[in-house]
Amino acid sequence: MDNQTKILSSALELFAQHGYDAVGVQRIVAAAEVTKPTLYHYFGSKKGLLLALLESRFSDLFQALEEATARHGDLPERLSGVVSAYFYFAKKNPDFYRLQLSLWFAPAQSEAFGAALGFSLRQQEFLEKVFVDAAGQNKNMEGQHQAYAATFLGMTNTYIGIFLNGFAELNQSLIDRTVRQFLYGIFR
Amino acid sequence: MDNQTKILSSALELFAQHGYDAVGVQRIVAAAEVTKPTLYHYFGSKKGLLLALLESRFSDLFQALEEATARHGDLPERLSGVVSAYFYFAKKNPDFYRLQLSLWFAPAQSEAFGAALGFSLRQQEFLEKVFVDAAGQNKNMEGQHQAYAATFLGMTNTYIGIFLNGFAELNQSLIDRTVRQFLYGIFR
DNA sequence: TGCTATACTTACCGGTCGGTATAGTCATGA
DNA sequence: TCATGACTATACCGACCGGTAAGTATAGCA
C-alpha cells in the first residue's frame, strides 16, 4: 500500500470514528506512518484530503446508481434498483457511509458540510431525474420532484442508519418494503 | 437577559451554524459579550455547556411528548400526537433541531455525540414504550419495538430535515401521511 | 462592621492546530 | 555520469485551543 492510499484509509477510519473537525492532520499522518509534508504533497490541504476521500469512495456508488437505472423499467423497478444499490454500498462500506451521513447532517456553515455538499447534491439530482422521467408516465406527480427525491433518500438513509446501529438487516424484503412504503406515501 | 442565558443562546446559534467542534469557547464568549471564566463559572467545561444547552431545550420536547400520549387512544392516534409534537417543536426551534440532528448523526466517538447520546436514547426509549403498550392490542408486532421506534423516528426526522431545507411544510396533512406511511410499512 | 458567597475580570498556562521552508533521498531517463 | 523531478524528513511558524490562577466588585447576612 503506497503512502497516498495509507493516508486515505487512515483518514477514513479516523474521520468516521471521531469526526472531521475533531481529527487533526497530525493524528492522521501518525496513523498512516508518514509525515505531514507527505500529506500536503498529495492533497494540498485537510479539506483537499476529505474531498479526495469522498471522490474515491463515492465514485463506486454513483456508478452503481447509473447501472441500476440504465436498464429500462417502471418507477417501482427503478426505485428498487436504487435502494438495492444504496444498501449494497452501505454494507460494503459501513465506515464510509457513517461518515457521509454525518456530513449530510453537519451544520451548513461547517467546512466538512461544504466539502460534502457537491456529492449530496449529485445524489439529490440523480433521484430528481428518476422522478422527472417517471412523471411522463404519471401526471399527478409533477412539481414535486425535489420533495420526492429528498423523502426517498431520507427513507433509504433511515433504514441504513438503523442497519449501522445493528437494529435491522439490509435484505431484499427491506428493499421491497422501502419502495412500497414510499410509493404508498406518495399516491395516497 | 443575564449572562448565563446569553451564553446559552450564543452557543446554540454558533453550534447550529458551524458545529460543536468547529466553535471555540473564545468565539462563544465574544458573541455573548462575556469572558471565558464566566462561561466556566456557570458550565464547568465546554461539554458541560453543551449538556446544559441540550437539557434546557429538550425538556420542552419531552414534556410535549408525554402530554401527547397521556390522553388515551389507539396506536395511530398516539403516533399522530407524537409526530405533531415533533413538528411543532421543530418549527418553534429550527436552529436547535438542526443542532440535534447533527449530533444524532455525529461519529460515535466524538465528544458531541457522547453528550447527546442520553437525549437520543430517551427519545428512542419513549417511542419503544409507545410500541410496547400497543403490542398488547396487536400481537404481530412483538419483539420489533426497537426497530419500529428507530424507523418512526427516522421518518419523522426525514420530514423535519426536508422542512428545514425548505422543501416541505410541516402541516396536518404531512402528519397524517407520516403516520399512514409508517403503519403501512409495518403491517404489510 | 466584618464575613462570606456569588459573579465576574485580567492575564496566562501548556499544548495542538493547519500549514510550510528547507534540505535532502532516490529512481528514472538522457 | 549527471540532471531531473517525484517524494519525504526535520524543524519550525503564528494562531488558536480548552482551561485556570489570582484577584476584584457587589450584595446579603451576622
Side-chain angles (χ1 to χ4, degrees):
Chain A
M1 200 156 64
D2 62 1
N3 285 339
Q4 191 170 0
T5 311
K6 283 201 293 188
I7 294 170
L8 281 173
S9 79
S10 294
L12 170 56
E13 184 176 341
L14 289 169
F15 286 161
Q17 281 179 4
H18 307 280
Y20 174 81
D21 286 310
V23 176
V25 293
Q26 199 72 250
R27 203 158 150 202
I28 297 169
V29 299
E33 295 175 304
V34 299
T35 56
K36 245 197 294 190
T38 303
L39 187 154
Y40 280 89
H41 171 73
Y42 286 113
F43 304 107
S45 69
K46 191 188 176 187
K47 184 171 179 178
L49 167 60
L50 177 59
L51 282 169
L53 178 59
L54 294 172
E55 187 69 54
S56 75
R57 300 301 205 276
F58 262 128
S59 62
D60 284 352
L61 174 63
F62 287 124
Q63 195 179 331
L65 287 176
E66 291 293 346
E67 288 170 8
T69 53
R71 343 175 199 118
H72 291 229
D74 59 7
L75 184 61
E77 281 172 19
R78 286 192 175 191
L79 292 181
S80 290
V82 169
V83 179
S84 177
Y86 268 100
F87 282 9
Y88 183 80
F89 180 76
K91 279 204 278 196
K92 206 170 168 186
N93 311 278
D95 279 0
F96 178 74
Y97 213 92
R98 281 209 126 92
L99 174 61
Q100 90 103 346
L101 276 184
S102 78
L103 299 179
W104 182 287
F105 286 96
Q109 316 252 26
S110 67
E111 188 172 305
F113 178 85
L117 181 58
F119 298 94
S120 303
L121 289 180
R122 266 174 74 184
Q123 294 178 69
Q124 172 83 17
E125 284 161 11
F126 173 85
L127 270 164
E128 284 178 24
K129 210 170 44 132
V130 171
F131 288 110
V132 168
D133 291 351
Q137 309 166 16
N138 202 312
K139 291 301 173 194
N140 66 340
M141 49 187 294
E142 276 178 38
Q144 299 282 347
H145 316 118
Q146 291 183 327
Y148 289 162
T151 303
F152 190 72
L153 260 177
M155 288 186 52
T156 305
N157 279 332
T158 292
Y159 284 118
I160 293 176
I162 293 168
F163 155 72
L164 290 173
N165 288 332
F167 292 142
E169 250 186 280
L170 299 183
N171 51 29
Q172 184 62 45
S173 100
L174 189 55
I175 294 174
D176 296 339
R177 178 198 291 184
T178 306
V179 174
R180 269 187 288 117
Q181 194 169 21
F182 170 77
L183 291 173
Y184 177 81
I186 296 306
F187 296 123
R188 194 64 29 107
Chain B
M1 200 156 65
D2 64 359
N3 285 340
Q4 192 171 1
T5 312
K6 283 202 293 190
I7 293 171
L8 281 174
S9 79
S10 296
L12 170 56
E13 185 176 339
L14 289 169
F15 286 161
Q17 281 177 4
H18 307 281
Y20 175 80
D21 286 310
V23 176
V25 291
Q26 198 71 250
R27 203 158 152 201
I28 296 169
V29 298
E33 294 176 307
V34 300
T35 56
K36 236 193 305 187
T38 302
L39 186 152
Y40 282 89
H41 171 72
Y42 286 113
F43 304 106
S45 68
K46 191 188 176 188
K47 184 172 179 176
L49 168 60
L50 177 58
L51 282 169
L53 177 59
L54 294 171
E55 188 68 54
S56 75
R57 300 300 205 277
F58 262 127
S59 62
D60 285 351
L61 174 62
F62 287 123
Q63 195 178 331
L65 288 176
E66 292 293 345
E67 288 171 9
T69 53
R71 344 173 198 120
H72 291 228
D74 58 7
L75 184 61
E77 279 172 20
R78 286 193 175 191
L79 292 180
S80 289
V82 169
V83 179
S84 178
Y86 268 101
F87 281 10
Y88 183 80
F89 180 75
K91 279 204 278 197
K92 205 170 169 188
N93 311 278
D95 279 0
F96 179 74
Y97 214 92
R98 281 208 125 93
L99 174 61
Q100 90 103 344
L101 275 184
S102 78
L103 299 179
W104 182 288
F105 286 96
Q109 317 253 24
S110 66
E111 187 171 305
F113 178 84
L117 181 57
F119 299 94
S120 302
L121 289 179
R122 267 174 74 184
Q123 295 179 68
Q124 171 83 19
E125 282 160 12
F126 173 85
L127 269 164
E128 283 177 24
K129 210 171 42 136
V130 172
F131 287 111
V132 168
D133 290 351
Q137 309 167 15
N138 201 312
K139 291 299 173 196
N140 66 340
M141 49 186 295
E142 276 178 38
Q144 298 283 345
H145 316 118
Q146 290 184 329
Y148 289 161
T151 302
F152 189 72
L153 259 176
M155 286 185 52
T156 305
N157 280 332
T158 292
Y159 283 118
I160 293 176
I162 293 168
F163 156 72
L164 290 173
N165 289 332
F167 293 141
E169 250 186 280
L170 299 182
N171 51 28
Q172 184 62 47
S173 101
L174 189 55
I175 294 174
D176 296 339
R177 179 198 290 184
T178 306
V179 175
R180 270 188 286 117
Q181 194 168 22
F182 170 77
L183 291 174
Y184 177 82
I186 296 305
F187 297 122
R188 195 64 31 107

